[in-house]
Amino acid sequence: MTSSENSGISRRTAIQSVLGAAGAGMMMPKPVDLPNLDHMQEKSKVKITKLETFLVKPRWIFLKIHTDAGVTGLGEPLLEGRALTIQTAIKEIEPYLIGKDPRQVQHHWQAIYRHAFYRGGPILTSALSGIDQALWDIKGKLLNVPVYELLGGPTRDRVRIYGRAANADDMKKRVAEGYTVIKTGVAKQNPANIVENRKFIKYAIDNFASLREAGGDGMDIGIDFHGAISPQTAKLLIKELEPYQPMFIEEPCQCQNVELLADIARGTHLPIATGERVFTKWGFREILEKGAASILQPDLCHAGGISEVRIIAGMAEAYYAPIAPHNPMGPISLASGLHLAASIPNFLVQEQVSLGEGYLKKPFKLEKDGTVLIPTGPGLGIELDENQIADKMGHDWKNPETYNALDGSVVDW
């Protein structure tokens, strides 16, 4: 045997000896005195004790989830015009949550959604959305951090929001208030017919032109068709709107027929937006795959809450589609939207109808640049003003009932 072979054997023998000793050490560890952690684990347990819902004017539902730790979470499980139905849905879900740890947000989402067997739909996902918001609020409060910190930390320090204007006078007021984004509707004297005439088209376009003139070229103006315009008329309106460059065309037709929505999107260079009546990641998947919209507008009170809309935003990012959350709701919904906006890269603009005046102890404030600063408090970072809300409790808001002026047939509102 050569000296080099001897050297190799010696090295192998040494290595094997070291590994053998290490293995023996792992198999026979030295006893270590560990502290008894049972009492610490007991102290860390938190249980849900009660779910409360309140009808709050003008048409909202506020949810409070109580815990035995004295921490309460806030959510908005709203479905417009179906407040009593949502309250019942929450009551049906309550037995599952009582006694559970509120910090298992994703687990509870899966259980509530999947154990229903008949999955999805506006009632279940609206109830689930409010519960999800409240659970995130509790988790953030228990950890003493804002919700967006739990979602990876802020991607921005402020959130662009938009106001509303129906005519040139409204637009001038919004400009003076500091808004840089406005949403309007299709101006009309009567609900749209399936095929509309030149008078209807001209009336709508002239109104939008007046908004553009009052707001200037620097104002972003979205226009909401509200799913109340037929595809035939929507195409005519979009063509006439193109010279005025709206920020987006929202719900140019009903969203159930995704192929039809995609056909409209292919016929214009203007961004098509939709999402307020689309639920969960499964609903938005088809919108993205078929190119039916380039701006997604999931509603955090309908689409599955913060948890689900965060996933939808990730899906949209892969298609270069931004998120503009739908939100004609209250301040709890707005707070949830701000945390989402603060945690995703592909945020566009946040809808709102109330910054919380008369509802929150510290309402949000419109900054001079048309934004709202992200909340910094734990959880959702808001606190209800019980004294001011006291005279706003209870409502019987119903969806509008609209009919054709000529023959009395039902039309969309």
Side-chain angles (χ1 to χ4, degrees), residues 55 58-60 78-84 394-402 413:
L55 300 185
R59 62 176 188 175
W60 306 328
L78 178 65
L79 184 61
E80 297 91 320
R82 296 291 183 267
L84 299 181
H395 69 75
D396 59 355
W397 191 90
K398 294 179 176 61
N399 291 319
E401 298 177 4
T402 50
W413 61 277

PDB file of all heavy atoms in Angstrom, residues 55 58-60 78-84 394-402 413:
ATOM      1  N   LEU A  55     -77.200  47.201  13.110  1.00  0.00           N
ATOM      2  CA  LEU A  55     -77.579  47.967  11.927  1.00  0.00           C
ATOM      3  C   LEU A  55     -77.253  49.430  12.201  1.00  0.00           C
ATOM      4  O   LEU A  55     -77.681  49.996  13.208  1.00  0.00           O
ATOM      5  CB  LEU A  55     -79.069  47.817  11.635  1.00  0.00           C
ATOM      6  CG  LEU A  55     -79.587  46.404  11.358  1.00  0.00           C
ATOM      7  CD1 LEU A  55     -81.060  46.451  10.963  1.00  0.00           C
ATOM      8  CD2 LEU A  55     -78.776  45.729  10.277  1.00  0.00           C
ATOM      9  N   PRO A  58     -76.182  54.892   7.277  1.00  0.00           N
ATOM     10  CA  PRO A  58     -77.411  54.857   6.483  1.00  0.00           C
ATOM     11  C   PRO A  58     -77.877  53.462   6.082  1.00  0.00           C
ATOM     12  O   PRO A  58     -79.071  53.238   5.942  1.00  0.00           O
ATOM     13  CB  PRO A  58     -77.041  55.667   5.245  1.00  0.00           C
ATOM     14  CG  PRO A  58     -75.558  55.475   5.101  1.00  0.00           C
ATOM     15  CD  PRO A  58     -75.015  55.401   6.491  1.00  0.00           C
ATOM     16  N   ARG A  59     -76.941  52.494   5.887  1.00  0.00           N
ATOM     17  CA  ARG A  59     -77.373  51.164   5.427  1.00  0.00           C
ATOM     18  C   ARG A  59     -76.390  50.065   5.815  1.00  0.00           C
ATOM     19  O   ARG A  59     -76.384  49.000   5.235  1.00  0.00           O
ATOM     20  CB  ARG A  59     -77.545  51.161   3.906  1.00  0.00           C
ATOM     21  CG  ARG A  59     -76.265  51.450   3.129  1.00  0.00           C
ATOM     22  CD  ARG A  59     -76.473  51.335   1.626  1.00  0.00           C
ATOM     23  NE  ARG A  59     -75.226  51.427   0.886  1.00  0.00           N
ATOM     24  CZ  ARG A  59     -75.125  51.254  -0.431  1.00  0.00           C
ATOM     25  NH1 ARG A  59     -76.194  50.984  -1.141  1.00  0.00           N
ATOM     26  NH2 ARG A  59     -73.955  51.349  -1.027  1.00  0.00           N
ATOM     27  N   TRP A  60     -75.549  50.307   6.835  1.00  0.00           N
ATOM     28  CA  TRP A  60     -74.432  49.443   7.120  1.00  0.00           C
ATOM     29  C   TRP A  60     -74.740  48.442   8.227  1.00  0.00           C
ATOM     30  O   TRP A  60     -75.731  48.549   8.940  1.00  0.00           O
ATOM     31  CB  TRP A  60     -73.208  50.274   7.525  1.00  0.00           C
ATOM     32  CG  TRP A  60     -72.856  51.326   6.521  1.00  0.00           C
ATOM     33  CD1 TRP A  60     -73.023  51.255   5.179  1.00  0.00           C
ATOM     34  CD2 TRP A  60     -72.292  52.622   6.793  1.00  0.00           C
ATOM     35  NE1 TRP A  60     -72.571  52.423   4.581  1.00  0.00           N
ATOM     36  CE2 TRP A  60     -72.122  53.266   5.543  1.00  0.00           C
ATOM     37  CE3 TRP A  60     -71.899  53.285   7.948  1.00  0.00           C
ATOM     38  CZ2 TRP A  60     -71.584  54.556   5.438  1.00  0.00           C
ATOM     39  CZ3 TRP A  60     -71.359  54.564   7.839  1.00  0.00           C
ATOM     40  CH2 TRP A  60     -71.211  55.185   6.595  1.00  0.00           C
ATOM     41  N   LEU A  78     -71.387  43.464   5.260  1.00  0.00           N
ATOM     42  CA  LEU A  78     -72.542  44.105   4.625  1.00  0.00           C
ATOM     43  C   LEU A  78     -72.965  43.410   3.342  1.00  0.00           C
ATOM     44  O   LEU A  78     -72.140  42.893   2.586  1.00  0.00           O
ATOM     45  CB  LEU A  78     -72.180  45.569   4.308  1.00  0.00           C
ATOM     46  CG  LEU A  78     -73.246  46.399   3.594  1.00  0.00           C
ATOM     47  CD1 LEU A  78     -74.461  46.585   4.491  1.00  0.00           C
ATOM     48  CD2 LEU A  78     -72.685  47.752   3.192  1.00  0.00           C
ATOM     49  N   LEU A  79     -74.263  43.376   3.082  1.00  0.00           N
ATOM     50  CA  LEU A  79     -74.813  43.068   1.770  1.00  0.00           C
ATOM     51  C   LEU A  79     -75.981  44.029   1.575  1.00  0.00           C
ATOM     52  O   LEU A  79     -77.021  43.901   2.230  1.00  0.00           O
ATOM     53  CB  LEU A  79     -75.275  41.615   1.665  1.00  0.00           C
ATOM     54  CG  LEU A  79     -75.769  41.184   0.279  1.00  0.00           C
ATOM     55  CD1 LEU A  79     -74.669  41.317  -0.764  1.00  0.00           C
ATOM     56  CD2 LEU A  79     -76.299  39.768   0.311  1.00  0.00           C
ATOM     57  N   GLU A  80     -75.809  44.994   0.681  1.00  0.00           N
ATOM     58  CA  GLU A  80     -76.757  46.083   0.534  1.00  0.00           C
ATOM     59  C   GLU A  80     -78.173  45.574   0.292  1.00  0.00           C
ATOM     60  O   GLU A  80     -78.421  44.759  -0.585  1.00  0.00           O
ATOM     61  CB  GLU A  80     -76.347  46.996  -0.625  1.00  0.00           C
ATOM     62  CG  GLU A  80     -75.013  47.696  -0.425  1.00  0.00           C
ATOM     63  CD  GLU A  80     -73.844  46.912  -0.979  1.00  0.00           C
ATOM     64  OE1 GLU A  80     -73.839  45.670  -0.826  1.00  0.00           O
ATOM     65  OE2 GLU A  80     -72.930  47.528  -1.556  1.00  0.00           O
ATOM     66  N   GLY A  81     -79.100  46.067   1.094  1.00  0.00           N
ATOM     67  CA  GLY A  81     -80.491  45.693   0.951  1.00  0.00           C
ATOM     68  C   GLY A  81     -80.851  44.357   1.572  1.00  0.00           C
ATOM     69  O   GLY A  81     -82.015  43.940   1.527  1.00  0.00           O
ATOM     70  N   ARG A  82     -79.877  43.655   2.153  1.00  0.00           N
ATOM     71  CA  ARG A  82     -80.107  42.342   2.751  1.00  0.00           C
ATOM     72  C   ARG A  82     -79.493  42.284   4.150  1.00  0.00           C
ATOM     73  O   ARG A  82     -78.891  41.286   4.538  1.00  0.00           O
ATOM     74  CB  ARG A  82     -79.515  41.234   1.861  1.00  0.00           C
ATOM     75  CG  ARG A  82     -80.172  41.113   0.506  1.00  0.00           C
ATOM     76  CD  ARG A  82     -81.600  40.573   0.622  1.00  0.00           C
ATOM     77  NE  ARG A  82     -82.227  40.391  -0.684  1.00  0.00           N
ATOM     78  CZ  ARG A  82     -82.985  41.306  -1.286  1.00  0.00           C
ATOM     79  NH1 ARG A  82     -83.210  42.471  -0.701  1.00  0.00           N
ATOM     80  NH2 ARG A  82     -83.523  41.056  -2.468  1.00  0.00           N
ATOM     81  N   ALA A  83     -79.677  43.359   4.909  1.00  0.00           N
ATOM     82  CA  ALA A  83     -79.047  43.454   6.231  1.00  0.00           C
ATOM     83  C   ALA A  83     -79.524  42.353   7.169  1.00  0.00           C
ATOM     84  O   ALA A  83     -78.728  41.737   7.885  1.00  0.00           O
ATOM     85  CB  ALA A  83     -79.323  44.831   6.837  1.00  0.00           C
ATOM     86  N   LEU A  84     -80.826  42.082   7.194  1.00  0.00           N
ATOM     87  CA  LEU A  84     -81.353  41.065   8.105  1.00  0.00           C
ATOM     88  C   LEU A  84     -80.866  39.677   7.714  1.00  0.00           C
ATOM     89  O   LEU A  84     -80.627  38.820   8.573  1.00  0.00           O
ATOM     90  CB  LEU A  84     -82.882  41.116   8.113  1.00  0.00           C
ATOM     91  CG  LEU A  84     -83.504  42.438   8.572  1.00  0.00           C
ATOM     92  CD1 LEU A  84     -85.030  42.342   8.564  1.00  0.00           C
ATOM     93  CD2 LEU A  84     -82.999  42.842   9.957  1.00  0.00           C
ATOM     94  N   GLY A 394     -79.850  51.353  13.810  1.00  0.00           N
ATOM     95  CA  GLY A 394     -81.070  50.876  13.174  1.00  0.00           C
ATOM     96  C   GLY A 394     -81.325  51.528  11.823  1.00  0.00           C
ATOM     97  O   GLY A 394     -81.095  52.722  11.644  1.00  0.00           O
ATOM     98  N   HIS A 395     -81.750  50.731  10.855  1.00  0.00           N
ATOM     99  CA  HIS A 395     -82.173  51.247   9.551  1.00  0.00           C
ATOM    100  C   HIS A 395     -82.997  50.184   8.845  1.00  0.00           C
ATOM    101  O   HIS A 395     -82.948  48.997   9.204  1.00  0.00           O
ATOM    102  CB  HIS A 395     -80.972  51.667   8.692  1.00  0.00           C
ATOM    103  CG  HIS A 395     -80.121  50.535   8.229  1.00  0.00           C
ATOM    104  ND1 HIS A 395     -80.485  49.665   7.219  1.00  0.00           N
ATOM    105  CD2 HIS A 395     -78.893  50.095   8.648  1.00  0.00           C
ATOM    106  CE1 HIS A 395     -79.536  48.769   7.022  1.00  0.00           C
ATOM    107  NE2 HIS A 395     -78.559  48.993   7.884  1.00  0.00           N
ATOM    108  N   ASP A 396     -83.752  50.590   7.846  1.00  0.00           N
ATOM    109  CA  ASP A 396     -84.524  49.645   7.033  1.00  0.00           C
ATOM    110  C   ASP A 396     -84.272  49.925   5.554  1.00  0.00           C
ATOM    111  O   ASP A 396     -85.182  49.854   4.731  1.00  0.00           O
ATOM    112  CB  ASP A 396     -86.014  49.720   7.365  1.00  0.00           C
ATOM    113  CG  ASP A 396     -86.598  51.113   7.149  1.00  0.00           C
ATOM    114  OD1 ASP A 396     -85.813  52.042   6.831  1.00  0.00           O
ATOM    115  OD2 ASP A 396     -87.822  51.269   7.279  1.00  0.00           O
ATOM    116  N   TRP A 397     -83.001  50.216   5.237  1.00  0.00           N
ATOM    117  CA  TRP A 397     -82.629  50.585   3.865  1.00  0.00           C
ATOM    118  C   TRP A 397     -82.929  49.440   2.905  1.00  0.00           C
ATOM    119  O   TRP A 397     -82.650  48.282   3.191  1.00  0.00           O
ATOM    120  CB  TRP A 397     -81.152  50.950   3.810  1.00  0.00           C
ATOM    121  CG  TRP A 397     -80.742  51.590   2.514  1.00  0.00           C
ATOM    122  CD1 TRP A 397     -80.755  52.917   2.228  1.00  0.00           C
ATOM    123  CD2 TRP A 397     -80.255  50.930   1.338  1.00  0.00           C
ATOM    124  NE1 TRP A 397     -80.312  53.131   0.941  1.00  0.00           N
ATOM    125  CE2 TRP A 397     -79.999  51.930   0.368  1.00  0.00           C
ATOM    126  CE3 TRP A 397     -80.024  49.596   1.003  1.00  0.00           C
ATOM    127  CZ2 TRP A 397     -79.513  51.639  -0.901  1.00  0.00           C
ATOM    128  CZ3 TRP A 397     -79.545  49.302  -0.269  1.00  0.00           C
ATOM    129  CH2 TRP A 397     -79.299  50.322  -1.199  1.00  0.00           C
ATOM    130  N   LYS A 398     -83.516  49.794   1.769  1.00  0.00           N
ATOM    131  CA  LYS A 398     -83.841  48.806   0.748  1.00  0.00           C
ATOM    132  C   LYS A 398     -83.234  49.225  -0.586  1.00  0.00           C
ATOM    133  O   LYS A 398     -83.045  50.424  -0.842  1.00  0.00           O
ATOM    134  CB  LYS A 398     -85.357  48.659   0.608  1.00  0.00           C
ATOM    135  CG  LYS A 398     -86.054  48.076   1.834  1.00  0.00           C
ATOM    136  CD  LYS A 398     -87.552  47.986   1.612  1.00  0.00           C
ATOM    137  CE  LYS A 398     -88.251  47.315   2.800  1.00  0.00           C
ATOM    138  NZ  LYS A 398     -88.060  48.063   4.047  1.00  0.00           N
ATOM    139  N   ASN A 399     -82.951  48.240  -1.427  1.00  0.00           N
ATOM    140  CA  ASN A 399     -82.446  48.543  -2.760  1.00  0.00           C
ATOM    141  C   ASN A 399     -83.512  49.298  -3.562  1.00  0.00           C
ATOM    142  O   ASN A 399     -84.711  48.999  -3.437  1.00  0.00           O
ATOM    143  CB  ASN A 399     -82.080  47.257  -3.502  1.00  0.00           C
ATOM    144  CG  ASN A 399     -80.873  46.576  -2.900  1.00  0.00           C
ATOM    145  OD1 ASN A 399     -79.907  47.224  -2.525  1.00  0.00           O
ATOM    146  ND2 ASN A 399     -80.931  45.254  -2.801  1.00  0.00           N
ATOM    147  N   PRO A 400     -83.095  50.261  -4.394  1.00  0.00           N
ATOM    148  CA  PRO A 400     -84.065  50.976  -5.233  1.00  0.00           C
ATOM    149  C   PRO A 400     -84.804  50.019  -6.172  1.00  0.00           C
ATOM    150  O   PRO A 400     -84.245  49.006  -6.605  1.00  0.00           O
ATOM    151  CB  PRO A 400     -83.182  51.944  -6.034  1.00  0.00           C
ATOM    152  CG  PRO A 400     -81.938  52.098  -5.229  1.00  0.00           C
ATOM    153  CD  PRO A 400     -81.727  50.766  -4.565  1.00  0.00           C
ATOM    154  N   GLU A 401     -86.043  50.340  -6.446  1.00  0.00           N
ATOM    155  CA  GLU A 401     -86.840  49.580  -7.412  1.00  0.00           C
ATOM    156  C   GLU A 401     -87.074  50.475  -8.627  1.00  0.00           C
ATOM    157  O   GLU A 401     -87.764  51.486  -8.529  1.00  0.00           O
ATOM    158  CB  GLU A 401     -88.161  49.140  -6.792  1.00  0.00           C
ATOM    159  CG  GLU A 401     -87.984  48.199  -5.597  1.00  0.00           C
ATOM    160  CD  GLU A 401     -89.303  47.817  -4.948  1.00  0.00           C
ATOM    161  OE1 GLU A 401     -90.365  48.219  -5.479  1.00  0.00           O
ATOM    162  OE2 GLU A 401     -89.274  47.132  -3.918  1.00  0.00           O
ATOM    163  N   THR A 402     -86.476  50.111  -9.749  1.00  0.00           N
ATOM    164  CA  THR A 402     -86.544  50.968 -10.934  1.00  0.00           C
ATOM    165  C   THR A 402     -87.264  50.249 -12.070  1.00  0.00           C
ATOM    166  O   THR A 402     -87.130  49.035 -12.246  1.00  0.00           O
ATOM    167  CB  THR A 402     -85.133  51.372 -11.389  1.00  0.00           C
ATOM    168  OG1 THR A 402     -84.306  50.194 -11.475  1.00  0.00           O
ATOM    169  CG2 THR A 402     -84.483  52.331 -10.395  1.00  0.00           C
ATOM    170  N   TRP A 413     -80.772  49.150 -11.594  1.00  0.00           N
ATOM    171  CA  TRP A 413     -80.569  50.480 -10.995  1.00  0.00           C
ATOM    172  C   TRP A 413     -79.080  50.767 -10.845  1.00  0.00           C
ATOM    173  O   TRP A 413     -78.260  49.871 -10.895  1.00  0.00           O
ATOM    174  CB  TRP A 413     -81.241  50.608  -9.637  1.00  0.00           C
ATOM    175  CG  TRP A 413     -80.769  49.656  -8.587  1.00  0.00           C
ATOM    176  CD1 TRP A 413     -81.154  48.368  -8.389  1.00  0.00           C
ATOM    177  CD2 TRP A 413     -79.812  49.922  -7.548  1.00  0.00           C
ATOM    178  NE1 TRP A 413     -80.523  47.815  -7.308  1.00  0.00           N
ATOM    179  CE2 TRP A 413     -79.689  48.733  -6.770  1.00  0.00           C
ATOM    180  CE3 TRP A 413     -79.052  51.053  -7.194  1.00  0.00           C
ATOM    181  CZ2 TRP A 413     -78.823  48.667  -5.675  1.00  0.00           C
ATOM    182  CZ3 TRP A 413     -78.197  50.967  -6.092  1.00  0.00           C
ATOM    183  CH2 TRP A 413     -78.091  49.770  -5.351  1.00  0.00           C
TER     184      TRP A 413
END
